[in-house]
Amino acid sequence: MEKEVSLESVQALVKKRDEMEDAIKVSLELLNGYGVGLEKPLVDEEGYPLGDLDLPAIRATRHSVYCLRNDIKEIVQQIDQGLEIVHGRARREKEEMQESGAAGHPSTSRTEELEPFARVGNVSANSPAQRAGLLEGDLVLKFGSINKLNFTGVATVGALVNSSEDRPIQVAVFRNNARKDTILKPQRWKGQGLLGCFISGLTTR
């Protein structure tokens, strides 16, 4: 199972989840157009079916929304599990490389977790990133489950952000020679993206 999971497969799940969420939005707009939404009864006060509505279509649309919501819950779980596998695999691979190529330095894998691997840039006003207290130039030490040991590129950060909409992420940054911890909640706002900032990987020398 673990061998079948890759960053690309996780990103595909994120895309599938987004498509399902878009389908739900379309269905809800249709139901609101009927004036019934998801919960309004389809019978009158005397218990008779409302005759001026396409009841079969409404019931089918409601059923579709409920099914999609259940499917999204399962996909989110798969995304979380996939990210854990991808990050864990990357961490093990780096640890093995360090063990084979850094004899005499047994503490490398421990200290490297606190080393920066990415930089924060272009923090927009009133964005989730600004509300979390992130500043341009912050060096990222930890981003949720991602640290230097398992960081394989900014795509891993993007996948984690997309799978964590409206869910808190623990972030640690290095600023002014000190570590700063904060909680970042990716969410939709008036600007682009879910963060309102750029995350770029640091160049390895």
Side-chain angles (χ1 to χ4, degrees):
M1 173 65 179
E2 181 172 338
K3 293 182 179 180
E4 299 175 356
V5 177
S6 65
L7 178 59
E8 290 73 19
S9 66
V10 174
Q11 290 174 327
L13 287 173
V14 172
K15 181 180 179 182
K16 185 175 182 180
R17 183 208 61 184
D18 292 342
E19 292 173 348
M20 288 181 173
E21 290 180 343
D22 289 340
I24 288 177
K25 290 179 182 178
V26 172
S27 295
L28 291 177
E29 289 176 359
L30 177 62
L31 292 172
N32 290 333
Y34 281 118
V36 296
L38 277 176
E39 305 297 337
K40 184 176 179 179
L42 301 181
V43 295
D44 59 23
E45 295 179 353
E46 297 180 354
Y48 292 102
L50 299 175
D52 57 341
L53 297 175
D54 187 348
L55 299 183
I58 293 174
R59 292 191 180 100
T61 302
R62 283 180 171 180
H63 178 72
S64 175
V65 170
Y66 293 134
C67 289
L68 285 171
R69 285 181 171 177
N70 289 332
D71 290 343
I72 286 176
K73 290 180 181 179
E74 294 182 4
I75 286 182
V76 168
Q77 291 180 346
Q78 294 175 19
I79 291 172
D80 291 341
Q81 293 170 357
L83 286 172
E84 289 181 5
I85 291 173
V86 170
H87 296 159
R89 183 189 300 135
R91 182 176 62 252
R92 291 194 298 272
E93 290 175 353
K94 288 193 175 183
E95 288 175 347
E96 291 172 359
M97 291 176 63
Q98 291 166 356
E99 290 174 359
S100 62
H105 300 280
S107 63
T108 301
S109 62
R110 295 181 181 178
T111 59
E112 194 169 10
E113 291 186 12
L114 297 179
E115 293 182 10
F117 60 88
R119 186 189 305 274
V120 177
N122 296 341
V123 179
S124 299
N126 301 316
S127 66
Q130 187 188 58
R131 290 195 293 270
L134 295 180
L135 299 177
E136 183 171 353
D138 282 348
L139 299 179
V140 182
L141 302 171
K142 177 183 177 182
F143 196 96
S145 59
I146 304 173
N147 54 45
K148 187 173 182 179
L149 287 176
N150 57 27
F151 176 70
T152 57
V154 292
T156 59
V157 176
L160 178 60
V161 169
N162 287 330
S163 68
S164 303
E165 184 174 348
D166 294 323
R167 298 165 59 188
I169 297 176
Q170 292 184 344
V171 176
V173 299
F174 190 73
R175 180 197 310 159
N176 297 331
N177 296 319
R179 171 173 169 162
K180 309 286 185 181
D181 291 276
T182 186
I183 299 296
L184 174 62
K185 182 181 289 186
Q187 56 189 186
R188 301 187 186 280
W189 60 296
K190 66 179 181 180
Q192 294 183 347
L194 298 176
L195 298 183
C197 72
F198 290 115
I199 304 291
S200 58
L202 296 179
T203 302
T204 303
R205 295 181 179 179

